[in-house]
Amino acid sequence: MFIDTHAHLDSPKFDNDRAEVIERAQEAGIDTIVNIGFNRETIPSTMALAEQYPFIFAAVGWHPTDAVDMKLEEDLAWIERLCSHPKVVAIGEIGLDYYWDTSPKELQHTVFREQIRLAKRLNKPIVIHNRDAHEDVVRLLKEENASEVGGIMHCFSGSWEIAKQCLDMNFYISFGGPVTFKNARVPKEVMERVPMDRLLLETDAPSWLRTPIRGQRNESAYVRLVAEAAAEIKGISLEEISNQTSQNGRNCLGLTT
């Protein structure tokens, strides 16, 4: 069995066949999915999915590209209230994104810091979005003592040096579709070095299309393809990858199923 630690199954791209997509995930051996609500539109739809399906859990937070739309005090209070729901297992995805020019960096920093502080007050792990902002993400995590709660470095794309600093701060390193690409040298090298007890798998569905199905919509069932790539990179069996990453997900997110 597998855990998809990061999906967006509430995306409009699944509106025509969401139930079938979720059924295919179960048939492929995915017994737990963490769906991510990251702004005013996707948090309610994520919560609805988590309440509908026993094996779907929720992470709620504010994405850095949407920081400009956040009503800081009001929306932080909303996230805090939702964190009391038994299906909410983390705050995220939060972090920094310097690729898309949608929110000023200074504002992203403020929103990121405040959500780390909230997670520490609530003792919730955090799910980190990091795009082209490795040094600042690590710096802010250190300055805010995020190691007190730890969490997940989502769809990790940094170097081993960055990964090592994140591991030292109590984070798990999660890999998705890019490790299935033939020319993905750096992600594969980093995955090879990440300790087995800190490794997680994800799809980020519907994004990050996978080899050999590039050109198609991604979905949670394809986390098995990521697991197969991980087994090859680690030189171990698919069963070992399945057992360890599932246990890691339960440990990180406090899951009991």
Side-chain angles (χ1 to χ4, degrees), residues 193-240:
R193 300 179 71 173
V194 170
M196 279 294 297
D197 64 351
R198 305 296 286 281
L199 178 66
L200 294 173
L201 308 177
E202 64 173 271
T203 61
D204 200 18
S207 302
W208 288 115
L209 303 177
R210 274 66 178 139
T211 299
I213 48 87
R214 294 178 79 170
Q216 301 179 36
R217 179 192 63 182
N218 192 13
E219 56 184 73
S220 283
Y222 298 148
V223 79
R224 190 180 184 93
L225 299 179
V226 183
E228 290 171 355
E232 181 178 352
I233 291 166
K234 288 289 195 181
I236 60 177
S237 70
L238 184 62
E239 182 180 7
E240 288 177 278

Side-chain angles (χ1 to χ4, degrees), residues 49 83-84 92-93 97 123 142 147 158 179 186 198 204 214-215:
L49 269 182
C83 282
S84 65
E93 59 189 285
D97 191 314
N123 194 32
K142 289 180 177 177
S147 60
V179 297
V186 173
R198 305 296 286 281
D204 200 18
R214 294 178 79 170

